Amino acid sequence: MKRIFCSLFAFVVLCVGSLASASYTNILRVGLAYSSTAVSVANLINSSGFSIGVMNDTTFTGSQSTSETTLKITYANNTYLVQGLSGQTIYSVSGENIAVRPISGTTTYDGYNYYGDFVFKAESSGKLTVINYVNIEDYVKGVLPYEMSASWPIEALKAQAVCARSFALGNLNKHKAYGFDLCNTTNCQVYHGTERADSNSNDAVDQTKGQILMADGKLATGYFFSSSGGATENNENVWGGTPISYLRGVKDIYEDASASSYNVWSVTLTADQITSKLKSAGYSIGTVADVKVTKRTEMDNVNEVTVTDTSGKSVTIKNGSVRTVFGLNSIRYTINGSSILTGSSGSGGLWVNDSQITDSGLYAIGAGGNKAYIGSVSGKTALTGSGKQTISISSSNDSGNVNVASGSYVFSGTGWGHSVGMSQYGARSMANMGFSYSDILKFYYTGITISQM
Ligand SMILES: [Zn+2]
């Protein structure tokens, strides 16, 4: 009933057009233990004591208060049991989700301190799902320092805080099957209560209290990543699917990629390693003979890589797979290198198919280790014409086996991460240059507004 009212209220406000604010819940349900991490016993510690009762939607109703500072919650025979430190029964209830609210302050659970309430739900295994019902501002204070170093400039932290808040609201009910919104791992956002919060990160949350990203009248999800290396990218060029208005690639004129050593990178892969990575990703390909960037985006990021094998067959890797399939840091790179051509030895020399001849530096190796270069390399054998052709390997060993030798490819790039949305290193650079968090968000998210939730 409450949700219907909120939705209706938001609708009326938008129709009247007098306010730009939307209406969202202030309370998030964050899963701290569930499924494989569900617990048999949950211990809560709070020096002020607790109220114990039930939670309906996000409304807590207390049935009993206790000054006991340590509670032990278990479930057996369809009954939730709350015991004190010495094992005495404080409360028990059947068939309902049990909720515990501290009288004040933070509560210690599993070594971390949390604001808010705790709800326990028995799973079919008999173990307990543990859920922290927490105000969204306290939640954002918890996650912010796990996403960006709290030592970074305040305007960058404020931009990240608005992203984190928007992300949370955009993922309500993500873990509905277990009765909560967000989990506490990188699957959603890392959250261990107040563990890493400090005055700098808390200030960033307080100074942006309730602020979220909006685009086209709707909540915008604040996707972010570490470093653009020069340009961010359109969402559809990375994840496929429909273009999203605020996730447009931008030339990143602010980020200083060299600010972090890992933002400039180089990876060398042998032809065999590339073959293996492609096969692991489900592509059907033989021994790799050539690897090339065959399409770039308007932002000059890599959009397609074509890999050709020694039989002339090729596969084209597209979108974000150009990073993930090869295990690279970003989609912004060049490829240099060559494979050593392999062919079949035949009468009079080594046979290769001319479709394999894609680079002037390619060469074959005979069993004696002698190289026969193909193409226009000075002083080496040149091939012309079409179809299968013969080259001679100038050794006595050319009629034997041909080594299937691997070449190698050097992927040299800048940036780190998926490239969609805000670059965190870019946000840091902009903040250091004097830009505000609003400037930062509007630079990385095309056409967004910052609204009060
Ligand atoms: Zn999750």
Side-chain angles (χ1 to χ4, degrees):
M1 194 62 199
K2 191 181 172 202
R3 288 213 171 134
I4 293 167
F5 176 76
C6 288
S7 304
L8 189 64
F9 180 71
F11 179 70
V12 170
V13 168
L14 286 173
C15 284
V16 173
S18 58
L19 288 169
S21 68
S23 182
Y24 292 97
T25 179
N26 284 318
I27 301 295
L28 298 176
R29 303 168 303 166
V30 186
L32 306 182
Y34 72 106
S35 188
S36 64
T37 60
V39 296
S40 302
V41 181
N43 291 302
L44 300 181
I45 304 167
N46 182 297
S47 59
S48 66
F50 300 92
S51 176
I52 307 166
V54 293
M55 189 76 75
N56 288 309
D57 195 0
T58 54
T59 303
F60 175 80
T61 305
S63 302
Q64 186 171 335
S65 292
T66 176
S67 58
E68 189 78 17
T69 57
T70 298
L71 300 185
K72 174 183 166 186
I73 296 96
T74 53
Y75 178 81
N77 303 319
N78 295 315
T79 302
Y80 294 92
L81 178 65
V82 180
Q83 294 168 288
L85 190 59
S86 57
Q88 78 278 25
T89 295
I90 294 174
Y91 187 79
S92 72
V93 64
S94 301
E96 285 185 280
N97 300 323
I98 197 166
V100 176
R101 169 169 288 185
I103 301 301
S104 67
T106 60
T107 300
T108 306
Y109 167 73
D110 198 24
Y112 296 112
N113 298 314
Y114 297 88
Y115 282 104
D117 303 332
F118 285 79
V119 171
F120 303 91
K121 291 174 184 288
E123 298 185 7
S124 56
S125 65
K127 290 188 172 179
L128 295 167
T129 297
V130 181
I131 306 169
N132 181 207
Y133 278 51
V134 60
N135 180 281
I136 189 168
E137 299 304 315
D138 289 328
Y139 169 79
V140 175
K141 285 177 182 177
V143 300
L144 183 57
Y146 282 92
E147 292 172 348
M148 181 179 275
S149 168
S151 69
W152 280 23
I154 185 75
E155 294 301 316
L157 287 164
K158 284 161 71 177
Q160 188 75 54
V162 176
C163 288
R165 199 179 283 111
S166 305
F167 179 90
L169 291 177
N171 283 280
L172 296 179
N173 277 313
K174 183 172 176 183
H175 294 277
K176 190 178 182 179
Y178 286 92
F180 57 86
D181 296 309
L182 302 139
C183 71
N184 68 341
T185 72
T186 53
N187 172 270
C188 288
Q189 300 188 105
V190 175
Y191 170 67
H192 295 298
T194 62
E195 179 67 7
R196 277 198 200 169
D198 76 3
S199 60
N200 207 30
S201 57
N202 285 348
D203 283 350
V205 178
D206 287 337
Q207 290 174 27
T208 60
K209 186 178 178 185
Q211 294 179 12
I212 51 175
L213 296 171
M214 300 281 282
D216 306 322
K218 293 180 200 156
L219 181 72
T221 305
Y223 294 103
F224 62 91
F225 61 99
S226 180
S227 160
S228 74
T232 70
E233 192 49 68
N234 295 350
N235 67 293
E236 71 275 16
N237 288 340
V238 177
W239 296 324
T242 311
I244 296 171
S245 67
Y246 57 91
L247 299 177
R248 300 297 84 198
V250 294
K251 289 280 184 191
D252 198 336
I253 53 177
Y254 301 112
E255 185 192 283
D256 176 10
S258 64
S260 172
S261 56
Y262 69 67
N263 291 343
V264 179
W265 55 268
S266 173
V267 171
T268 301
L269 296 174
T270 65
D272 285 348
Q273 287 173 321
I274 291 171
T275 303
S276 158
K277 284 177 184 294
L278 288 171
K279 284 182 173 169
S280 297
Y283 294 93
S284 171
I285 188 94
T287 302
V288 168
D290 187 43
V291 185
K292 270 192 165 56
V293 173
T294 45
K295 186 180 172 190
R296 287 182 179 274
T297 67
E298 280 180 38
M299 292 293 119
D300 209 30
N301 291 317
V302 178
N303 194 229
E304 286 185 10
V305 171
T306 300
V307 181
T308 307
D309 72 14
T310 52
S311 74
K313 179 184 177 182
S314 67
V315 296
T316 300
I317 320 297
K318 296 181 180 177
N319 297 334
S321 296
V322 302
R323 175 175 74 100
T324 55
V325 166
F326 301 112
L328 305 174
N329 292 352
S330 74
I331 58 171
R332 197 167 183 82
Y333 57 81
T334 56
I335 306 173
N336 286 293
S338 66
S339 284
I340 298 166
L341 267 187
T342 57
S344 56
S345 59
S347 164
L350 175 72
W351 290 78
V352 295
N353 189 308
D354 68 353
S355 69
Q356 295 170 239
I357 302 165
T358 52
D359 188 293
S360 61
L362 297 180
Y363 56 89
I365 296 181
N370 297 289
K371 294 175 181 176
Y373 287 84
I374 301 161
S376 58
V377 177
S378 173
K380 311 299 180 189
T381 306
L383 284 180
T384 55
S386 60
K388 275 201 167 186
Q389 301 182 50
T390 306
I391 57 170
S392 299
I393 296 175
S394 54
S395 87
S396 58
N397 223 343
D398 63 349
S399 61
N401 295 325
V402 173
N403 288 345
V404 179
S406 296
S408 63
Y409 295 84
V410 181
F411 297 76
S412 306
T414 52
W416 187 285
H418 56 61
S419 297
V420 179
M422 183 182 79
S423 157
Q424 293 179 302
Y425 272 91
R428 185 172 82 158
S429 292
M430 288 184 75
N432 283 335
M433 289 176 190
F435 288 100
S436 71
Y437 77 101
S438 169
D439 295 331
I440 294 168
L441 293 168
K442 287 175 177 171
F443 176 70
Y444 286 109
Y445 301 111
T446 307
I448 55 102
T449 56
I450 300 167
S451 299
Q452 204 66 33
M453 60 179 275

